[in-house]
Amino acid sequence: MSSPTVKLNSGHQMPLVGFGLWKVNNDTCADTVYNAIKTGYRLFDGACDYGNEVEAGQGVARAIKEKLVSRDELFIVSKLWNSFHDHDRVEPICKKQLNDWGLDRFDLYIVHFPISLRYVDPSERYPPGFTFDGKKVVPGNATIQETWTAMESLVDKGLTKSIGISNFNGQLIMDLLRYAKIVPATLQIEHHPYLTQEGLVKLAQSNNMAVTAYSSFGPQSFLELEMQRAKDTPLLFDNKTVKSIADKHGKSTAQVLLRWATQRNIAVIPKSNNQSRLLQNLDVTSFDLSKSELEEISGLNQHLRFNDPLNYGVDQPIYV
């Protein structure tokens, strides 16, 4: 089983369903990636901040060595962390991340957050997280334009095929489009029925940017982080509307939540350690929801965001 693809504005094809590497433990990451490839996944969504790119690369290398897949069949995504937004820091950190993965190029490299933080030398602490010294959040001086210009040079130098953005709001996108020589190929955002962000999705898609949803299951992704907002929110898996639609189609609630996105041409990057759920999550384009079902699920919107720096105690109010 494999995923259908969406054509990016860069001309490259991106799988509509991928595997997200956020919160995948280091000791199991290599085997997890290898098994996901064996199951049929081809897109892997990583990041400096996830702290598991070395292990993810080991899983990829094993799969290629055993001829389960070729490098060209994979779509590897990584992200630029906030501490490396200065123009002269972007290329070196991208090269470090490529080395961690054991690759010579990414398929997609994304600005993780529209936040510039003071540089932290990778030899001192990596990944650096939000703090400069392990305690304080210290802003950097790079503008989005400075960072994006450096991102564009990565494409020119062959270090990545496409570049994108994540966690950007509409105003930042409109501003970026005024100076970008390369329009972002993708916008990655938190997107689930409790946070539909319909206007933002429309803005991106109308400007030929593919949208990728993370945290497609809403509060589920944040329970293990002990986030109070997630604990206080009813699980989407238990929602009557979602369960009713799932029963009607003979699918799991997870499959319905993912299909709600993919049917609207929004890519998804779920993860699971369970083999049956791995297969189910990949099988989210073989059935269609009716227009009324899509609208019912969208009607669950509460503008409820979980992945906000403020929810982690980090004073970076990018969504106020």
Side-chain angles (χ1 to χ4, degrees), residues 186-302:
T186 65
L187 167 67
Q188 188 172 126
I189 55 171
E190 180 179 346
H191 180 74
H192 46 75
Y194 288 152
L195 183 67
T196 58
Q197 304 204 77
E198 293 172 8
L200 187 58
V201 169
K202 182 178 179 180
L203 173 65
Q205 292 181 337
S206 67
N207 281 282
N208 203 21
M209 293 180 220
V211 176
T212 298
Y214 67 76
S215 299
S216 295
F217 305 140
Q220 186 72 32
S221 301
F222 301 89
L223 289 175
E224 63 192 86
L225 301 178
E226 298 294 319
M227 183 180 290
Q228 193 60 46
R229 174 171 284 197
K231 291 179 180 180
D232 294 339
T233 305
L235 295 180
L236 283 165
F237 289 155
D238 298 333
N239 181 272
K240 289 181 180 180
T241 297
V242 178
K243 288 176 72 174
S244 174
I245 294 171
D247 290 343
K248 179 180 176 182
H249 289 271
K251 299 294 182 180
S252 70
T253 50
Q255 285 175 300
V256 167
L257 291 169
L258 295 173
R259 186 56 178 148
W260 169 75
T262 61
Q263 193 167 324
R264 294 175 297 120
N265 217 31
I266 295 174
V268 292
I269 45 173
K271 73 176 178 73
S272 178
N273 295 320
N274 179 284
Q275 184 60 32
S276 64
R277 286 198 292 271
L278 266 180
L279 285 165
Q280 287 179 358
N281 289 348
L282 198 55
D283 179 24
V284 292
T285 57
S286 64
F287 67 100
D288 287 334
L289 304 176
S290 69
K291 181 181 178 183
S292 63
E293 288 171 336
L294 290 171
E295 290 173 348
E296 278 186 84
I297 296 172
S298 295
L300 300 174
N301 185 36
Q302 299 178 23

Side-chain angles (χ1 to χ4, degrees), residues 43-230:
L43 184 152
F44 291 88
D45 182 83
C48 155
D49 192 50
Y50 302 165
N52 55 14
E53 293 192 296
V54 170
E55 294 81 3
Q58 291 168 352
V60 166
R62 178 184 169 195
I64 292 175
K65 183 179 180 180
E66 294 183 12
K67 301 188 186 306
L68 294 180
V69 70
S70 70
R71 170 63 184 95
D72 287 343
E73 292 176 288
L74 295 174
F75 194 99
I76 306 298
V77 183
S78 191
K79 304 181 187 75
L80 174 77
W81 185 243
N82 310 332
S83 310
F84 309 107
H85 276 213
D86 294 320
H87 189 282
D88 60 349
R89 305 295 186 186
V90 173
E91 183 178 333
I93 201 63
C94 178
K95 287 181 175 178
K96 175 191 165 25
Q97 291 175 259
L98 284 169
N99 185 63
D100 287 348
W101 276 91
L103 302 174
D104 60 5
R105 54 137 175 101
F106 289 121
D107 294 281
L108 175 63
Y109 195 59
I110 294 172
V111 178
H112 203 152
F113 279 98
I115 298 172
S116 171
L117 297 179
R118 185 181 292 181
Y119 174 70
V120 175
D121 192 312
S123 66
E124 295 180 12
R125 192 175 73 253
Y126 189 86
F130 273 99
T131 61
F132 172 67
D133 54 2
K135 298 177 182 178
K136 292 186 295 184
V137 177
V138 181
N141 295 317
T143 64
I144 297 297
Q145 183 170 5
E146 176 184 341
T147 303
W148 190 250
T149 301
M151 292 285 288
E152 291 173 327
S153 73
L154 301 180
V155 178
D156 297 336
K157 294 176 181 179
L159 297 176
T160 184
K161 287 186 173 182
S162 303
I163 50 178
I165 53 179
S166 180
N167 301 306
F168 276 51
N169 63 24
Q171 190 276 332
L172 284 176
I173 293 171
M174 292 171 66
D175 185 64
L176 187 152
L177 291 174
R178 286 175 168 83
Y179 55 75
K181 295 178 180 177
I182 299 177
V183 173
T186 65
L187 167 67
Q188 188 172 126
I189 55 171
E190 180 179 346
H191 180 74
H192 46 75
Y194 288 152
L195 183 67
T196 58
Q197 304 204 77
E198 293 172 8
L200 187 58
V201 169
K202 182 178 179 180
L203 173 65
Q205 292 181 337
S206 67
N207 281 282
N208 203 21
M209 293 180 220
V211 176
T212 298
Y214 67 76
S215 299
S216 295
F217 305 140
Q220 186 72 32
S221 301
F222 301 89
L223 289 175
E224 63 192 86
L225 301 178
E226 298 294 319
M227 183 180 290
Q228 193 60 46
R229 174 171 284 197

